[in-house]
Each structure stands twice: as C-alpha cells, then as structure tokens.
Amino acid sequence: MNKVKFNEDFPDITESNKLFKRSKGLIPAYTQTLAKGPTQWIKGIAPKYLKKGRGSHVWDADGNEYIDYTMGIGPVVLGYCYGRVDDAIRTQLEDGITFSMMHPLEVELSEKIRSIVPNAESVRFSKTGCDVTTAAVRVARAFTRREKVLCCGYHGWHDWYIGVTDRDAGIPAAVQDLTFTFNYNDIENLKQSIDADTACVILEPFVFEEAKNDFLKEVQEVCRKNGSLLIFDEMWTGFRIAVGGAQEYFGIKPDLACFSKAIANGMPLSVLTGREDVMRLFDRDVFFFTTFGGEALSLAAGMATINEISEKNVPEFLSMQGKKLKDGYNKISAGLGMDYTQCSGYNCRTIITFDPFKSGCNPLEMKSLVQQEMIKNGILWSGFHNMCFSHSDEDAEYTLKCYEKVLPLLKKAVDDKKVAEYLKGEPVEPVFRKTSNFNLKPKKLQ
Ligand SMILES: Cc1ncc(COP(=O)(O)O)c(C=O)c1O
C-alpha cells in the first residue's frame, strides 16, 4: 500500500542534520559508501540517514516515508525486510553466525550457483564486490603468467583498479601502470590496447548503454586469440538481467565472473565463479582467504534470495516494472518537448540523464531540482530506477504522477535559464565514476 503522498512542504530533516553534525571530523567523507553519502543528495533538503525499510519503502531518521529507487545501491533486489530471506537469516541465527570450521551452506550454495550460472564450474565466496574482482584479476595473472589488465566500468576500491581513476592517491605508480581502460562498444579500441602481456580483460557486460554489434562476443573472441582471460563483472547484472546474469542473457560464458549486490538481498556476500582449471589455482598458489568468507547468515540469505529470484522469475518482473517507469518518463518528457532529458538503460536498472548542450543548463543542477521535488513528494530519487520485486503498480503509478508534476517545473526553470534559482539547497556533486577515456596509456608514457 503506497502511503506516500504529494506534499507542499519539504520533509523535516532535523534528526538527519543532528547526526550529520556529530559525524563531522569523526567519519572522514561521512560515509562508507560514496553513492550513499552527502555529495549525491541535495544539501539542506534531502534526508541523510535512513532507519527502516519495508518492501520498496524506506523511512528516514526523522520518520519521513519514501518510495526508494536506489535500493541500497543495488543489493535490495526483492525488497526491504523480505519475509523469505529474513526468515532464513533468523533460522540460521538460532544456530550461529561464524564458525570454527567450514559450514555446509558453503557446499549447498555453491551447488545451487553452479546449477544457475553458466560459467560456474567452480565457486568461491567472499564479502564485497571488490574482494572478488581483485581475486579474479590475481588468479588471471597467475594463470596466464602475465601482468597487464584491461578494464571497462567500475570495479571497486582496490589498488589495481582505482589507480586508473582520478581518485588515485596512495596507489604506487608501478601498480597504476599495469591497468588500462578501454571504451565500451569500441572493439577497435580493445584490439589496439590488448597485447602479449595482457592477463585479462574485465568489464561490466553493460552499464546503461546497450551492447551493440555483438560487442561482448567480439570481446570474447579478441581475448581468446590473445590468450587473455575474459572476466565479467556481474555486480549489477547478476541475478537481475536474468537469473544466470548477463552470461545467460547474452549467451556468453566468460572465463571468470564476479557477483555481489543482488545475490543476498542486502547481506554482504560476493561470489567468484569460473573455469575449474583457472579456479583450481586457489587450491594453493593463489591466496584468497578471509575470516568472514563463510559467514553463514549471508550464505543463508543468498540461498533464499536465489531461490526466490528463480522461482518467481524476478528478472522478468524487474524488467516489466522498470519499463513502465522508463517509457512513462520518456513519454512525459517528450510530451513537454524536453528533448534534453530522458530515461535509458536495460529496464531492470535505468538512468535519467540531462543534456547540457540541448538544454543550455547545468546537468547537476537539473538533476538536483528533480531530486528536490521528488523528495518533497516522498520519492527518494538519485537519478536511477533500481527496480526491486516489491515495487508495486501503485508505486509506479504514483511515481509517474510525480514526474508529471515535477517535469513541467524543470521545463520552466530551463526555459527561464534559472535552474539554480529554483534550488533550495546545494546541488549534488559529480559521481567520480568515469568509465571511458581514462588511463588508456601507462602514466609514465603519457
Ligand atoms: C560493477 C561493480 N563492480 C565492483 C563494485 C565493487 O563492489 P563493492 O563496493 O561491494 O566492493 C561495484 C560497486 O558498486 C560495482 O558496481
């Protein structure tokens, strides 16, 4: 039941502001996850702390209710406090969390994943996305006895990847000079970059742009010819675009694949799957062990989540509900002649963009204005529709009604070239994430 309603006033965020003040100087960057932090939300208007969630709705520290379209930055694929998953966690909690020996769920969940994910001849668990992207890169280097990595997309905070971004402080130059980026949907770019020392090519099968001209098949072919391993970073695509992830959706089996986010509906679990002959190196030569790797609450949550996703065909639902929002948004913006804003991406996870050239306005200010007005009307909106199984028809209808109310306001602000004047707080900041034309060559050669 959607109890969120249109409001004339902005939410009271007193408690959020008090907490934020206490964290100043105490918690550097304020947040443990950049996308959840204050830079991504309009300052002075948006709440900063969430305390409770049920289904697709969340409540902030002041008790205000919102429909959430960020869903914990991806993990909450079924919904908050989802009965089947929470019951599995509770049942496991009765028996214990972390043990002194291996837990049967490690075997049971591995078998389940092998039955679903096409490339999962072998399976390893860990806690975070970058645990498994880093393990994948390390084992690829060991297997090929090569050092260079080509990547496309975001792959986490560890040295081998973050050194190619503009947030590279503290990463040795020697490490930075081993990783390079290539551009999505640009096979020539990959062909030019790959060489005899390339251990692996790691990429998100897609982010928002659709794969064109059999791009992923071509990438696989280039890797094969070059003797480099292909790694799919399925953090966003896994258990979301199809139960077996992008590899099932596109019919391409990468040598290794990395999963997290949607796999355990919010519990910290990540998974590396891949060829048995490659993964076998973890037996001894390649070290990949961590205290909480077999933590049982997350494994129980993973089992319940995967069962629910496959039994209820959740990917189909996400696509259907996401399409309503994507098409609905585009219809409203086109009807208003706003060719500078559109919603795009695969239906399960879409993005709303604002074109500075067509509009003549600052895209971050435009995004902030929409966010401000959506928040006023009870929608926690960060420019994405990260769909979950609990996003109801009512949620979708209400959200489209909100867009019908908010987009004319944006249009007026853009027509008047006065977007900044409509903002009641400081605009959001750019996400650092840049996925193309970044470190195409080693630093020392540039
Ligand atoms: C595609 C992709 N790979 C890797 C990661 C890193 O995962 P984590 O933040 O869990 O370490 C993320 C995180 O957002 C991601 O989106």
Side-chain angles (χ1 to χ4, degrees), residues 387-403:
M387 303 310 295
C388 84
F389 196 48
S390 299
H391 278 124
S392 64
D393 291 342
E394 266 180 301
D395 287 338
E397 278 159 29
Y398 178 79
T399 305
L400 290 174
K401 275 199 201 120
C402 259
Y403 283 138

Side-chain angles (χ1 to χ4, degrees), residues 32-33 35 73 127-133 152-158 160-161 202-207 233-237 258 260-261 269-270 349 433:
Q32 333 301 327
T33 311
I73 328 291
K127 291 283 107 195
T128 69
C130 64
D131 281 356
V132 286
T133 56
C152 175
Y154 174 76
H155 306 294
W157 72 274
H158 287 181
W160 72 266
Y161 171 71
I202 176 167
L203 80 163
E204 293 182 67
F206 59 81
V207 182
D233 179 339
E234 295 235 38
M235 236 51 85
W236 275 102
T237 53
C258 310
S260 186
K261 297 207 191 266
L269 182 68
S270 58
R349 178 193 178 212
R433 175 175 175 146

Side-chain angles (χ1 to χ4, degrees), residues 245-261:
Q247 45 188 290
E248 178 191 320
Y249 186 79
F250 292 105
I252 296 174
K253 244 202 264 186
D255 300 298
L256 297 164
C258 310
F259 298 85
S260 186
K261 297 207 191 266

